[in-house]
Amino acid sequence: MEGVKHKILVLSGKGGVGKSTVSCQLALALVLQGKKVGLLDVDLCGPSVPRIVGLQGRDVKKSNQGWIPVYPEEHKSLAVMSIGFLLPDPDAAVVWRGPKKTAMIKQFIEDVVWGELDYLIVDTPPGTSDEHIAVIESLKEHQPDGAVIVTTPQGVSISDVRKEISFCNKVGLPILGVVENMSGFICPNCSECTNIFSSEGGKLLSEELNIRFLGKIPIDPALTALQEGGGSFVSKFPDSQTLKAIQLFVSDLITSPTPDAK
């Protein structure tokens, strides 16, 4: 971790809000800005990062220094680590108790040879349980920048996200901001954005709790289809309205000062 400049966790108290999507597109957008980026998937029971970035079936190698993360063939600017690379079968269930999960996460953080990185993005599972505590305890001495909180616009999602914000405050993890994912639907024919869920939930939550609002990312069929096979949306759809939303979110995240823990 000594060579990693910035460490950002992607959190949400709610499952299914697109944390892995936000984590992967954040990492890929940073790569296109010329940054060296690590992407750590600590969703041990549902690792989806290898598929989203097109690295399914790849293996992790070991060296004298530790595990070597997996790199896409086209460049060495993105280093990826996930339990998905260690499973003999992609459909195998990870049935582990808390202590084994904690040990694996500590190994990911302490024994992976990340090298020199500008950013390490940590994709987490939903909730506020063992995995989150293990990540924060392991990163504490390395001074993580903070957390990006992902929500969808509906009230039921906002309610669970409040718990995640409370968790961050309790453990002293700074909150870098809130991003509202699935904020509207981009029509593949006319590119018009329609609010099929509620709208502005993430923004209203940010204003209420005085947390930075990082922006809204809509549902986009092109992004969904691309992630099924893996790849970088930010490089394959340069004129997309969704890409502009992602770029605004990333730009605001990396140019604004890191807040103090509450």
Side-chain angles (χ1 to χ4, degrees):
M1 283 290 156
E2 288 75 12
V4 181
K5 296 177 183 176
H6 300 284
K7 302 99 181 170
I8 298 174
L9 284 74
V10 180
L11 302 172
S12 178
K14 186 74 174 174
V17 299
K19 289 182 301 301
S20 295
T21 295
V22 171
S23 299
C24 292
Q25 298 309 319
L26 168 58
L28 291 165
L30 289 169
V31 168
L32 282 188
Q33 291 187 13
K35 309 296 185 183
K36 290 186 176 181
V37 183
L39 181 56
L40 174 58
D41 181 4
V42 297
D43 190 347
L44 302 180
C45 296
S48 53
V49 165
R51 180 168 186 166
I52 292 175
V53 296
L55 294 175
Q56 267 190 315
R58 299 283 293 275
D59 295 321
V60 171
K61 297 180 180 179
K62 281 191 174 183
S63 70
N64 293 332
Q65 290 76 36
W67 282 337
I68 305 297
V70 176
Y71 295 87
E73 293 180 358
E74 61 269 22
H75 54 69
K76 291 289 185 180
S77 296
L78 178 65
V80 184
M81 188 66 195
S82 170
I83 196 172
F85 299 132
L86 305 175
L87 298 175
D89 180 352
D91 296 325
V94 176
V95 187
W96 292 353
R97 294 187 183 274
K100 191 168 183 179
K101 289 182 179 180
T102 298
M104 176 57 73
I105 289 171
K106 287 183 177 179
Q107 195 168 3
F108 277 162
I109 292 175
E110 296 173 3
D111 295 341
V112 174
V113 186
W114 292 108
E116 298 291 327
L117 294 178
D118 295 303
Y119 289 90
L120 176 66
I121 310 300
V122 183
D123 179 31
T124 67
T128 56
S129 56
D130 294 329
E131 293 95 321
H132 305 80
I133 296 170
V135 171
I136 290 168
E137 287 182 346
S138 298
L139 284 176
K140 204 164 189 177
E141 63 180 285
H142 303 293
Q143 300 179 330
D145 291 57
V148 171
I149 307 294
V150 182
T151 186
T152 52
Q154 309 99 306
V156 67
S157 177
I158 298 297
S159 176
D160 287 336
V161 167
R162 288 178 185 274
K163 298 180 179 66
E164 195 73 46
I165 291 172
S166 175
F167 169 80
C168 290
N169 292 335
K170 285 182 179 179
V171 300
L173 181 68
I175 299 173
L176 302 176
V178 172
V179 59
E180 184 178 294
N181 194 31
M182 305 184 195
S183 184
F185 169 75
I186 299 292
C187 175
N189 296 316
C190 67
S191 298
E192 182 179 346
C193 185
T194 303
N195 290 319
I196 58 175
F197 298 138
S198 304
S199 63
E200 303 294 333
K203 186 175 183 181
L204 292 173
L205 177 68
S206 298
E207 292 173 352
E208 176 188 343
L209 299 180
N210 195 28
I211 298 171
R212 193 192 329 163
F213 184 63
L214 295 171
K216 301 186 288 186
I217 300 175
I219 300 172
D220 191 329
L223 175 57
T224 302
L226 180 66
Q227 291 191 141
E228 288 298 310
S232 173
F233 183 82
V234 294
S235 62
K236 294 189 178 181
F237 294 91
D239 300 320
S240 166
Q241 183 177 341
T242 302
L243 172 58
K244 294 177 183 177
I246 293 172
Q247 289 175 328
L248 284 172
F249 149 57
V250 174
S251 176
D252 190 30
L253 176 64
I254 66 176
T255 57
S256 299
T258 301
D260 295 327
K262 294 183 179 179

